[in-house]
Amino acid sequence: MDETTKYQLPESELPTHWYNIQADLPKQAPPPLHPGTHQPIGPADLAPLFPMELIKQEVSSEREIAIPDEVREVYRLWRPTPLVRARRLERALDTPAHIYFKYEGASPVGSHKPNTAVAQAYYNKQEGVRRLTTETGAGQWGTALAMACNFFGIGLKVYMVKVSYEQKPYRRSIMQIYGADVVASPSADTNAGRAIRASSPDTPGSLGIAISEAVEDAATRDDTKYSLGSVLNHVLMHQTVIGQEAIKQMEMAGEYPDVVIGCAGGGSNYAGIAFPFMREKLAGKRATRFVAVEPEACPSLTKGEYRYDFGDTAGMTPLVKMYTLGHTFIPEGIHAGGLRYHGMANLVCELFDQGYMEARAYHQTAVFEAALQFARAEAIVPAPESAHAVKAAIDEALEAKAAGKRRVILFNLSGHGYFDLAAYDQYLAGKLQDFAYPADKVKEAMAAVPVIA
Amino acid sequence: MDETTKYQLPESELPTHWYNIQADLPKQAPPPLHPGTHQPIGPADLAPLFPMELIKQEVSSEREIAIPDEVREVYRLWRPTPLVRARRLERALDTPAHIYFKYEGASPVGSHKPNTAVAQAYYNKQEGVRRLTTETGAGQWGTALAMACNFFGIGLKVYMVKVSYEQKPYRRSIMQIYGADVVASPSADTNAGRAIRASSPDTPGSLGIAISEAVEDAATRDDTKYSLGSVLNHVLMHQTVIGQEAIKQMEMAGEYPDVVIGCAGGGSNYAGIAFPFMREKLAGKRATRFVAVEPEACPSLTKGEYRYDFGDTAGMTPLVKMYTLGHTFIPEGIHAGGLRYHGMANLVCELFDQGYMEARAYHQTAVFEAALQFARAEAIVPAPESAHAVKAAIDEALEAKAAGKRRVILFNLSGHGYFDLAAYDQYLAGKLQDFAYPADKVKEAMAAVPVIA
């Protein structure tokens, strides 16, 4: 009975640096290209959208970058987050595997997103930026940035995908509690928004459209910059506090993971848990397996092609080399809104391409089945995105059982599902829909991907 | 900058005993009376509804009662909860006061309720009970008991007040995720429910009605007992893990509270934070102040009379001496549903009557204003109930500022408000309604309180 459940680090063990995996990549990652010239972009190209310190981090080859005291002070409100040994789940599965999860749902907005939101708001404030814009789907990112902007006294305008704005009012409420200005996207406030409203008055909106609006807003106002919640190098780097803490907590538990698992939409929570462990693999010290988990309805790593593509629907962003389903691909309306992205962070793609990690895709119903099993064992209701990692962890544990082998499994529970309960209602009512891999739609979207010489 | 924000106890410091304040009361509390005979009730009277171990705890005069290992094992999923120094709130108020809060919203269901739910499910399981019934309003108690019953493999039927069942589907979803059977009350499943549906087909339901249904269900089935989430002595005692942890955490911070604050509906979260500190006051070691906070719309301690009354609307429960507004009093529909109770736990009333504590009442708008100020400073969005404690803590801090004095304030943040965001929407839209003290309705209800010789 006196077995530890939660491995809790004291605040004094809060990481002092972010880990920049660019310093350790065996083969350098391909640079982003200018959308017009197809030439590698420089800092000046990004300056209208991002503060210089984040641009420097984006291209930095320094291994460790110090976390400013002001950022660590905010992290302390909820960090270090607990590492939990899922003993009840292990017993329910009757597996010899040891299952650990890092619980990022412990943040005030219920996900890992504040790890980068706080850093981004801080650097913008430092450089005199008075207002930020961003896009959000279901609202995890928007709530995190709203909290961060409130702390640093910066204004925020959030372009929230229309269907979520209407169907999921509660994350919108939280953004407003923190003082953010939230509009449904496409909105009447930008040229991009107005054009789409004119041509498709009934559109439910999409992340790609919302990005176009937020970027236009920031690019056309001197006091305003833009903030992105995933995909970019500096965003992934800010998330490495997760894995760094987990390394120390696994030491407390006296174990080292055989496999590290995270769900992957844009790639930031996966990178957050994986990169600090990957550092030891890249250094040749460990043979750890890494698994990124995607929805079958939007399987960029498992079914996409590794080539240059735009980050947004309208083609306004730089071209980034990534496993892509085509920037015009609109995934079906699965409940894991944070995984509905056509591409993937370049750094994750590069590690996948270089063979350092695996990827797998699951259907929605199987994911919710795993989520329910987890909730009944461990009490926490996972976010639909995070439930993809839960499903993979359960499968790994069952494989270990079948093989009669010990296996130490670590996954990132990137968020809780208390704002996603309508999805659970549908699952419990047997009304949840599965979506097959949309081969035809992807083929069509891939035809629109620019060909780079 | 290197100032601690969260005081986190290791799992090894989880309390081993509950503290039973009945052992230390200077004047013994008046016994509950049989609703028919008006004679003190004995264990046999309660046996149809509660397992014998809980009945023993209800009347125990032992100072400490050991927490079973099985209960502590579940507590470990989220306990010890953090004690947080609200440094940002202090700065926002520019006060010399030090403000600490104990964060019970860290539990998987977001409130303090599992502290007793887990214990009650355990003892029922131990005595062979196969099924529990309970009532719930907004759902905090129902979700906690659903989680607990799921862990111990007991069935649960929740009678959920109809208006909440329809308007707040998400806590219902969580109960169903944990496997509970949830019906809208009044239901067609009990005589009490059918009678009310026949006479008032459009009733929104009430806690009093739901209690009557849950009690009837349990009393008429051999395999079933009933569970209550507040008011009773054993329920308050189970909550004392909160204050016991807080004592150790205040020691870590090197301070002792001058004032301890909790919101009070039935009295259990207030008792949880207050009683372990009160123990030192009753022993003459400390002069700590204690403040229970109520809504102006339902101010039982501040405006009620201390006399014997029923716990439920229908008059089926034992008579308990308490500060009451009359058991037939139906409070206005304030958002702090957990504080809409006509009475108060006898142990809290007795301490108030004996002069060991204070009480105050606030209007709804002032409470939400304080909640918003707290959320913008500390990021956590408080439950409307807990926001009453927040308001009192802010007032205490501002008083200290006006007096130019140091003051150490501790309050219980008994739950988060992520299921109560519609209420915040109303506040932000300026649509929140205040309710004056309903003197006439109380006068009418008090006329229906039985007169005990």
Side-chain angles (χ1 to χ4, degrees), chain A residues 113-440:
Chain A
K113 292 289 187 188
N115 297 330
T116 185
V118 172
Q120 292 189 46
Y122 168 76
Y123 288 118
N124 275 285
K125 176 73 174 184
Q126 283 298 101
E127 298 187 21
V129 176
R130 293 175 52 186
R131 181 173 171 272
L132 286 176
T133 64
T134 199
E135 71 288 335
T136 199
Q140 283 198 345
W141 168 241
T143 53
L145 193 60
M147 180 187 86
C149 285
N150 163 63
F151 279 147
F152 290 106
I154 304 181
L156 174 65
K157 180 150 180 180
V158 180
Y159 294 88
M160 184 172 187
V161 175
K162 188 171 116 188
V163 60
S164 296
Y165 183 93
E166 287 166 356
Q167 291 178 1
K168 302 187 174 181
Y170 293 124
R171 283 217 181 88
R172 169 176 59 70
S173 307
I174 298 181
M175 291 185 254
Q176 290 168 335
I177 287 172
Y178 293 136
D181 180 15
V182 188
V183 291
S185 168
S187 75
D189 302 351
T190 65
N191 290 328
R194 284 186 292 268
I196 289 164
R197 285 156 68 107
S199 63
S200 312
D202 296 329
T203 177
S206 76
L207 264 183
I209 295 168
I211 293 176
S212 300
E213 288 205 275
V215 167
E216 178 189 324
D217 181 334
T220 53
R221 279 183 60 162
D222 278 347
D223 64 347
T224 300
K225 294 208 182 290
Y226 167 73
S227 175
L228 188 66
S230 189
V231 176
L232 299 177
N233 298 348
H234 67 269
V235 178
L236 272 59
M237 185 185 73
H238 297 154
Q239 294 293 352
T240 59
V241 291
I242 302 172
Q244 289 183 67
E245 288 177 7
I247 286 176
K248 290 183 185 175
Q249 290 165 314
M250 291 298 304
E251 275 170 22
M252 288 168 73
E255 304 212 79
Y256 196 92
D258 296 307
V259 57
V260 176
I261 299 168
C263 66
S268 80
N269 103 75
Y270 170 79
I273 189 87
F275 284 6
F277 289 95
M278 184 70 83
R279 177 181 188 172
E280 310 198 356
K281 181 170 186 171
L282 293 173
K285 294 180 188 164
R286 298 279 185 177
T288 320
R289 289 171 51 229
F290 293 87
V291 181
V293 191
E294 309 184 306
E296 187 68 31
C298 191
S300 47
L301 283 175
T302 40
K303 295 268 175 62
E305 286 178 49
Y306 192 34
R307 47 188 286 197
Y308 274 99
D309 197 4
F310 294 107
D312 69 329
T313 309
M316 295 168 66
T317 69
L319 289 157
V320 175
K321 195 167 180 191
M322 55 183 171
Y323 281 86
T324 182
L325 303 168
H327 64 279
T328 56
F329 172 67
I330 307 284
E332 295 288 348
I334 56 169
H335 289 287
L339 305 185
R340 292 178 68 241
Y341 187 62
H342 68 275
M344 180 65 64
N346 167 262
L347 287 172
V348 172
C349 293
E350 194 60 22
L351 288 162
F352 184 59
D353 188 58
Q354 294 183 30
Y356 289 98
M357 50 171 279
E358 310 161 28
R360 68 180 70 159
Y362 290 115
H363 278 297
Q364 180 159 260
T365 307
V367 166
F368 273 85
E369 187 184 356
L372 204 76
Q373 186 168 27
F374 181 84
R376 289 184 176 174
E378 299 292 328
I380 297 168
V381 178
E385 293 84 358
S386 319
H388 286 73
V390 171
K391 167 67 177 157
I394 289 176
D395 280 4
E396 289 279 338
L398 292 176
E399 268 180 44
K401 178 183 177 179
K405 284 192 182 165
R406 202 178 158 285
R407 183 177 296 182
V408 179
I409 299 163
L410 168 64
F411 73 95
N412 196 23
L413 192 64
S414 55
H416 63 60
Y418 298 116
F419 298 106
D420 306 281
L421 291 166
Y424 281 89
D425 275 354
Q426 283 192 18
Y427 172 76
L428 289 167
K431 290 183 184 161
L432 208 62
Q433 201 180 340
D434 272 340
F435 299 99
Y437 172 63
D440 290 347

Side-chain angles (χ1 to χ4, degrees), chain B residues 139-215:
Chain B
Q140 283 199 344
W141 169 242
T143 52
L145 193 61
M147 180 187 88
C149 285
N150 163 63
F151 277 147
F152 290 106
I154 304 181
L156 173 65
K157 179 151 181 181
V158 180
Y159 294 87
M160 185 173 189
V161 175
K162 189 171 118 188
V163 60
S164 295
Y165 183 93
E166 287 166 357
Q167 290 178 2
K168 302 187 175 181
Y170 294 123
R171 281 218 180 88
R172 168 177 60 70
S173 306
I174 298 181
M175 293 185 253
Q176 290 168 336
I177 286 172
Y178 293 137
D181 180 13
V182 188
V183 291
S185 167
S187 76
D189 302 352
T190 67
N191 290 330
R194 283 186 292 268
I196 289 163
R197 285 156 67 106
S199 63
S200 313
D202 296 327
T203 177
S206 75
L207 262 182
I209 295 168
I211 293 177
S212 300
E213 288 205 274
V215 167

